[in-house]
Amino acid sequence: MGIDDIMGSLTEKQYQLFTHAAGPSGKLPLTPEMLLHSPSGDLFGLSQNVGMGWKPSKLLGKQMLILGTQGGIKDELGQPIALGYHTGHWEISDLMKSVANEINESGGIPFAGFVSDPCDGRSQGTTGMFDSLPYRNDAAIVLRRLIRSLPQRAAVIGVGTCDKGLPAMMLAIAGSPQLPGIIVPGGVTLPPTSGEDAGKIQTIGARYANGDLSLEEAADLGCRACATPGGGCQFLGTAGTAQVIAEAMGLTVPHAALAPSGQEIWHEMARQSARAAIHMASSGLKTKDILTDDAIYNGMVVHAAFGGSTNLLLHIPAIAHAAGLRIPTVQEWAEVNRKVPRLVSVLPNGPHPHTTVRAFLAGGVPEVMLHLRKLGVLREHALTVTGQTIGEVLDWWEKSERRVVMKQTLIKLDGVQPEEVIFAPEQAKLAGLTSTVTFPLGNIAPEGSVIKSTAIDPSKVSAAGIFHHVGRAKVFTTERAAIAAIKNKGIEAGDVLVLIGRGPSGTGMEETYQLTSALKHLPFGKDVALITDARFSGVSTGACIGHIGPEALAGGPVGKLRTGDWIDIHIQLHTLEGSIHMLGDGEAPTNFDEGTAILAQREMHSELRADPDLPDDTKLWAALQAASGGTWRGCIYDVERIKAFLDIGMRSEEGQQLLQSYLESDGGS
C-alpha cells in the first residue's frame, strides 16, 4: 500500500474550510465582583462551557464532577464501533448519562471525565498482568488530579465496576476527604441461560488439553459466557467484592452493589446517587465524614460475611491510607474473620453456585448487614452518603417494599429462595459455610501468607474442620512453565505446585488465576496445593496460598524451595489458624527444625529473577510500594516514608557515590 492509497482523494465538501465562526449567542452571567476578584481560570471556564454548547443562562449551577472508567466506543444505536477492554466498563457511559441527566434536572452542571481500566481476565497468563496491580495506584493518581483540576467542583461521583478501576476510584475519592464523594457501582453481567460463567469459561484451554472438553464444546460455551454486554463477572471475584465493600463503607446509596447492568433499576441507582451527591453538597456532608475507621471496620466485616476476594486485603488498607486512617493489621483481619461467619453462598465459594445477580435479588449488602447487626458485629453509627447512619439505613431496608419485591422476583425468575443465597447465621453453619480467610505462617512464609480457606474443596476437609496436605514440591519460576506442566500432565495428585519470583519485584505481583482455575476444573485438581508469592483472582478456589512474604526476590525463604522438597500445609477452618512449612528434602518428610536449617543454608533458586519483560513503570511501582511497607500495607505509596528513604540514601556516602556514577554515565549532565 502506497501513500496515495492511504491518503486517497478529498471530496469537494472536504475542501470547504472555515477560519472563523460566530460563536455562541448570549452573554456570560458575569458580575463586577467576578471580574475583579475571580481567578482567570474561573472566568475562562465559563467561556469554554458555552463553547461546548452549554446555555449561558445555566452557567451558575453547582458543578458536579462525574468520573468513570468507560471503555470502547458505541454508535447511536449502542452497537460497538471500537471495543472496550471488558464488559465491566462497556456500559459505564450509560450509567454516567443517568447521573448527568439527574444533575441537569436539578439545575446543576455535570462535568464528566474518563480513566479507563484494563481487564484481569483478558491479561491472564500474559505480560499484560504485569501492569494490573500497579495500574490501581497510577489511575488513582490521575483521577485525583482530574478532581483537583476542576476547581469549582462541588462534589465528585465515581462510576466504576471492575478489579482495579473501582478500587482506584475508591482511592481517589478517599484521597479527596474535603469533598462530597459517592461511588456508583457498575453492576454485574448476567449468566447465560444455558452455559458456563465467566470464571469457569477461563479454563477451556486446560480442560481441552486434558481431554475433558471438545473443540466444539469450548467454542460454543465460550461464545455465550458473557450473556449481557455490561457489568462485572457473574461471580464474587474482586470486581463484585469491591462493589460490596464500597456499599459496606457507606460510599454508595443502599442496595447498589451487584445490580444487573443496563436494566432500569441500575439506571435508577445512578439517579439516586446523583440526588445523594446533590444533598451532600448542599448539607456540607463530606467524604471524611463517611470514610472513618468505623467504615473501614464495617468493610472488613462485610468482606468476611460475603466470603470476598483476597485482593481486598490489598485494597482496603490502601483505601484507609488514602483517607488518612489507620491501616488494619493482619491480626485485625484474622480477628474479624474469626468472629464473623460467612453468610453468602455464591460463586466461586458456594456451597451453592449462585450468581451475583441472585445475591442482589436476595437483598445484597443491606440484607447481609441486617444479619450482622443481630450478631452485634457492625458499627451502626457510621454515616453513609445518604446522610443517614448504617443503622438508620438498615431500619429503612428492613421495612421497605423494595426488599420484599426483590426477594419475590428471585423466587419468580429463578425458583430460588432468598434464604438459600443469603443465610441467617445459624442456617449458614448448618449448611457448611465456613469463615473466609486464614493467614498461615511458617518457615516458608515468616511474614505471613493468605488462603481463602472457605474455598478449599469440602471433601478435603476433615470433620473437625482441618485441611492437611503433605506433598512434594514442584517448583516453577514462571507462570508459563507452571501452566504448561498442568496441561502436559507434569502436575499430579498430591503435588504442591510452587510458583516463585512472581511477587511485586518479579512481575508486579501478577494474578495467577489460570493456574487456580485449571486445578479447580480438572479431576485431580482438588488433590493439588499451590503456594506462591504472587496473588490470586477473586474467583480462585482450592488449597491456594498466596501473598507469601517476604517475596522470593526480597530474600524470602520461599525462593529457596526446590523440586522434591516436602511441604506441609495445615489449615484449621474453624479457628482460622494455619501453617506452611518445609519439612526436608529426603525420601520422607522430617520436621520443622530440619526444614528450617536446610533453608537457612541454601542459596536462592538459580532461575530466580525479575521477569525480563517487566516494564520500568512496574519496577518503579514495586520499589515505591516496598519502601511504603509492601503488600501487607496494601501496596500503597506512603510519601513520607519514601521521602525519608530517599533522603537517607542520598545523604549517605554510598548514595553519593551511586549518584555520581549515574551522573558520569550520563556524560555529566
Side-chain angles (χ1 to χ4, degrees), residues 430-449:
L430 292 173
L433 276 73
T434 54
S435 296
T436 303
V437 291
T438 302
F439 300 90
L441 292 164
N443 61 13
I444 295 173
E447 287 184 358
S449 60

Side-chain angles (χ1 to χ4, degrees), residues 165-476:
L166 182 51
M169 194 70 74
M170 294 164 75
L171 291 181
I173 286 180
S176 307
Q178 297 301 325
L179 278 176
I182 283 184
I183 290 290
V184 182
V188 298
T189 189
L190 298 185
T193 303
S194 176
E196 296 181 351
D197 67 85
K200 186 174 183 179
I201 206 66
Q202 294 181 51
T203 70
I204 53 177
R207 284 186 285 158
Y208 175 76
N210 279 267
D212 297 321
L213 204 64
S214 70
L215 177 61
E216 293 75 16
E217 289 170 329
D220 176 60
L221 292 169
C223 190
R224 288 182 280 112
C226 297
T228 53
C233 294
Q234 306 106 333
F235 48 80
L236 193 71
T238 307
T241 306
Q243 295 184 38
V244 163
I245 297 309
E247 183 170 345
M249 290 180 174
L251 288 172
T252 77
V253 296
H255 200 222
L258 312 179
S261 181
Q263 299 188 33
E264 183 51 36
I265 197 167
W266 178 81
H267 283 285
E268 180 57 22
M269 181 262 294
R271 294 187 284 267
Q272 292 163 346
S273 301
R275 294 195 289 270
I278 293 165
H279 173 69
M280 289 181 74
S282 62
S283 66
L285 187 64
K286 297 179 173 62
T287 298
K288 68 180 180 64
D289 303 315
I290 310 299
L291 266 181
T292 62
D293 288 330
D294 289 337
I296 297 295
Y297 177 83
N298 284 340
M300 296 167 67
V301 166
V302 172
H303 176 273
F306 267 82
S309 164
T310 54
N311 278 318
L312 271 294
L313 301 178
L314 299 171
H315 301 320
I316 289 179
I319 293 165
H321 175 263
L325 304 171
R326 190 176 57 80
I327 295 176
T329 65
V330 174
Q331 292 74 23
E332 288 169 326
W333 276 104
E335 180 184 349
V336 164
N337 278 270
R338 287 192 186 102
K339 70 181 181 181
V340 177
R342 182 165 68 91
L343 304 178
V344 182
S345 179
V346 295
L347 291 165
N349 302 329
H352 305 294
H354 297 303
T355 54
T356 41
V357 71
R358 287 182 179 175
F360 175 78
L361 292 173
V365 173
E367 191 71 18
V368 171
M369 293 182 95
L370 275 181
H371 291 301
L372 296 175
R373 173 159 77 170
K374 293 174 183 177
L375 292 175
V377 295
L378 275 183
R379 296 182 180 172
E380 295 184 52
H381 55 273
L383 280 173
T384 73
V385 293
T386 65
Q388 308 295 304
T389 65
I390 289 287
E392 290 168 332
V393 167
L394 294 181
D395 289 340
W396 166 82
W397 173 256
E398 191 168 22
K399 300 174 183 177
S400 70
E401 177 187 62
R402 179 177 179 133
R403 182 188 184 207
V404 174
V405 174
M406 290 293 106
K407 293 185 177 186
Q408 290 174 343
T409 302
L410 177 59
I411 297 170
K412 178 182 177 181
L413 294 181
D414 286 4
V416 172
Q417 295 297 321
E419 296 78 14
E420 296 173 357
V421 181
I422 297 176
F423 286 76
E426 55 275 13
Q427 276 72 45
K429 187 174 183 180
L430 292 173
L433 276 73
T434 54
S435 296
T436 303
V437 291
T438 302
F439 300 90
L441 292 164
N443 61 13
I444 295 173
E447 287 184 358
S449 60
V450 65
I451 179 172
K452 191 194 285 187
S453 44
T454 194
I456 297 175
D457 191 294
S459 69
K460 308 305 294 182
V461 179
S462 73
I466 295 173
F467 170 80
H468 189 208
H469 183 97
V470 180
R472 306 204 81 158
K474 288 187 176 173
V475 180
F476 303 90

Side-chain angles (χ1 to χ4, degrees), residues 310 313-314 330 438-451 473 475-476 496-506 509-510 512 529-536 543-561 567-569 571 579-582 599 604 608 625 629-632 635:
T310 54
L313 301 178
L314 299 171
V330 174
T438 302
F439 300 90
L441 292 164
N443 61 13
I444 295 173
E447 287 184 358
S449 60
V450 65
I451 179 172
V475 180
F476 303 90
V496 178
L497 193 162
V498 179
L499 180 63
I500 57 175
R502 314 311 281 180
S505 302
M509 203 178 187
E510 68 180 354
T512 57
L530 189 158
I531 65 174
T532 182
D533 51 6
R535 60 191 175 90
F536 301 123
C544 306
I545 298 176
H547 298 223
I548 287 180
E551 63 171 311
L553 285 167
V558 70
K560 298 182 178 182
L561 293 178
I567 308 296
D568 181 284
I569 301 171
I571 308 294
S579 63
I580 174 173
H581 296 311
M582 186 272 218
L599 289 175
M604 286 292 172
L608 191 63
Q625 67 85 36
T631 57
W632 293 107
C635 295

